[in-house]
């Protein structure tokens, strides 16, 4: 599986280099790192290094900017891509039809990575640009004498969207996918005990878990969560101490909570301010039976 780095999504839209770094160190940088970690290929254009970050400064100008640790990380990452030899222009297997015109949002995107991705049915890694941020886009292929063809491809900007759409392709465990998917939300999955995590689940159970976690973070507040009869969010309160699976160690003085994600499966954790820290996923209701 290949990803195309979308140079067309960088068009001088940032007011300053600092704005660019702040936005992209938390998005495109993390996406590139995840794709590489999964041993997948990123293909780009020779034009990437000349793409404009601001109205006056190009990607190739990053090296002349006063360095910060974040800028250096982003610079090295993008420099490796911009000056790699993985250019679709040099490929002897060019995917675009050179007799056709490729159009996105009424703009001619022929001879760009967008057109190449559309022609090969591959996803894009895009910088923050309106219309290209974490969504499926439609690229039209126009050719004289032939009916127009529409190709739909994913334009990815954040790692959350990347793992949602291609988590199985990235060689990530389910727990790692959920840690990324729910970063910055009401669910904190970084606290999961690995032996009680999502990798133990059947596919249908895993899908039910995701659906319920999405529902949980979609609530306005913990007050509305309390009122959701489907979740059955409540205290874990075993009647006898020997039945308490969280009685020892670091959880001894914590109020453990639980909620359901299917008829018998439960999620255990604790509330920390406005976040729910997930500790264990239960499939058989044995722990929940006693509290």
């Amino acid at each position: 599986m290949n990803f195309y780095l979308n140079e067309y999504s960088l068009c001088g839209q940032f007011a300053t280099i600092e704005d660019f770094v702040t936005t992209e160190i938390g998005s495109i940088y993390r996406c590139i790192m995840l794709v590489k970690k999964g041993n997948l290929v990123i293909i780009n254009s020779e034009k990437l290094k000349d793409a404009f970050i601001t109205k006056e400064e190009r990607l190739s100008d990053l090296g002349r900017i006063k360095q910060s640790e974040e800028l250096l990380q982003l610079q090295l990452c993008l420099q490796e891509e911009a000056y790699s030899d993985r250019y679709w222009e040099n490929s002897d297997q060019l995917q675009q039809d050179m007799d056709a015109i490729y159009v996105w949002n009424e703009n001619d995107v022929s001879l760009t990575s967008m057109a190449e991705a559309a022609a090969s049915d591959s996803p894009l890694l895009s910088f923050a640009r309106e219309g290209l941020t974490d969504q499926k886009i439609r690229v039209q292929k126009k050719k004289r004498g032939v009916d127009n063809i529409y190709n739909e491809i994913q334009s990815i900007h954040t790692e959350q969207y990347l793992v949602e759409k291609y988590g199985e392709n990235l060689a990530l465990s389910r727990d790692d996918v959920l840690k990324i998917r729910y970063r910055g939300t009401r669910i904190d999955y970084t606290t999961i005990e690995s032996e009680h995590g999502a990798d133990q689940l059947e596919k249908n159970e895993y899908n039910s878990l995701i659906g319920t976690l999405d529902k949980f973070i979609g609530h306005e507040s913990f007050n509305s969560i309390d009122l959701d009869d489907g979740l059955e969010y409540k205290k874990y309160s075993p009647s006898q101490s020997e039945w308490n699976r969280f009685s020892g160690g670091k959880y001894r003085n914590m109020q453990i909570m639980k909620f359901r994600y299917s008829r018998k499966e439960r999620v255990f954790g604790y509330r920390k301010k406005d976040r729910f820290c997930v500790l264990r996923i239960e499939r058989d209701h044995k722990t929940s039976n006693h509290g």
Side-chain angles (χ1 to χ4, degrees):
M1 181 180 191
N2 297 332
F3 290 79
Y4 284 81
L5 190 52
N6 187 5
E7 81 286 350
Y8 189 82
S9 62
L10 204 55
C11 59
Q13 68 266 42
F14 293 93
T16 66
I17 291 290
E18 289 73 19
D19 289 342
F20 170 72
V21 174
T22 300
T23 299
E24 300 302 344
I25 195 69
S27 51
I28 202 73
Y29 171 79
R30 287 178 175 172
C31 287
I32 291 173
M33 293 297 103
L34 276 178
V35 170
K36 287 184 173 181
K37 184 178 179 181
N39 293 317
L40 300 177
V41 176
I42 298 175
I43 300 173
N44 53 69
S45 169
E46 290 182 301
K47 298 186 286 289
L48 175 63
K49 58 182 175 294
D50 294 321
F52 280 94
I53 296 173
T54 69
K55 297 299 182 185
E56 298 179 349
E57 295 159 308
R58 301 174 185 266
L59 198 66
S60 57
D61 293 323
L62 283 180
R64 297 198 289 271
I65 307 299
K66 185 177 179 181
Q67 294 292 329
S68 65
E69 184 176 347
E70 286 189 336
L71 175 58
L72 183 59
Q73 286 179 338
L74 187 58
Q75 176 197 346
L76 292 176
C77 170
L78 295 178
Q79 198 171 48
E80 182 177 349
E81 296 307 316
Y83 293 93
S84 73
D85 57 358
R86 298 184 301 275
Y87 301 135
W88 56 263
E89 292 99 328
N90 295 343
S91 172
D92 57 0
Q93 298 179 336
L94 194 68
Q95 301 294 315
Q96 294 178 59
D97 183 343
M98 301 306 290
D99 294 324
I101 296 174
Y102 293 82
V103 177
W104 168 77
N105 200 25
E106 299 184 356
N107 297 307
D108 185 350
V109 296
S110 303
L111 299 179
T112 70
S113 295
M114 287 185 71
E116 194 68 10
S120 61
D121 194 26
S122 301
L124 285 166
L125 299 178
S126 295
F127 297 92
R129 178 176 176 178
E130 185 177 357
L132 293 172
T133 302
D134 289 347
Q135 62 191 87
K136 184 177 284 187
I137 63 170
R138 205 179 199 202
V139 179
Q140 182 181 12
K141 177 184 174 182
K142 295 182 176 182
K143 188 173 181 179
R144 181 175 297 177
V146 179
D147 291 341
N148 292 339
I149 298 173
Y150 294 90
N151 298 89
E152 291 189 336
I153 56 174
Q154 295 290 351
S155 181
I156 300 160
H157 178 62
T158 66
E159 58 179 343
Q160 285 86 354
Y161 196 75
L162 174 62
V163 300
E164 177 186 339
K165 299 300 180 184
Y166 300 102
E168 294 183 359
N169 303 94
L170 295 170
L172 294 174
S173 71
R174 286 175 172 174
D175 284 337
D176 285 338
V177 168
L178 296 181
K179 288 174 186 178
I180 295 169
R181 182 183 178 103
Y182 295 106
R183 180 183 286 129
T185 71
R186 183 178 287 115
I187 290 289
D188 183 353
Y189 200 84
T190 63
T191 50
I192 190 71
E193 297 175 345
S194 58
E195 65 271 26
H196 300 289
D199 288 328
Q200 64 179 312
L201 304 178
E202 300 292 339
K203 186 173 182 179
N204 64 317
E205 295 173 325
Y206 180 59
N207 290 337
S208 294
L209 174 64
I210 288 178
T212 302
L213 293 179
D214 285 350
K215 179 183 181 182
F216 196 95
I217 66 175
H219 272 278
E220 293 181 0
S221 66
F222 273 93
N223 289 334
S224 62
I225 289 172
D226 288 334
L227 298 173
D228 189 323
D229 293 335
L231 287 174
E232 291 188 3
Y233 177 71
K234 57 186 177 181
K235 294 179 181 179
Y236 169 63
S237 304
S239 57
Q240 298 183 37
S241 59
E242 62 265 29
W243 291 340
N244 191 336
R245 301 293 177 89
F246 298 91
S247 60
K250 58 185 177 180
Y251 306 129
R252 184 171 58 251
N253 297 319
M254 289 183 179
Q255 176 57 66
I256 303 300
M257 307 293 292
K258 65 177 182 177
F259 60 89
R260 62 186 292 179
Y261 69 93
S262 72
R263 185 175 61 83
K264 64 179 180 178
E265 288 90 1
R266 298 293 183 269
V267 177
F268 289 86
Y270 62 94
R271 181 176 171 180
K272 186 176 181 181
K273 296 183 179 179
D274 289 328
R275 306 190 75 193
F276 184 84
C277 302
V278 178
L279 296 177
R280 297 179 186 177
I281 309 298
E282 182 186 48
R283 301 176 67 192
D284 54 19
H285 207 265
K286 289 182 179 179
T287 298
S288 190
N289 273 339
H290 299 293

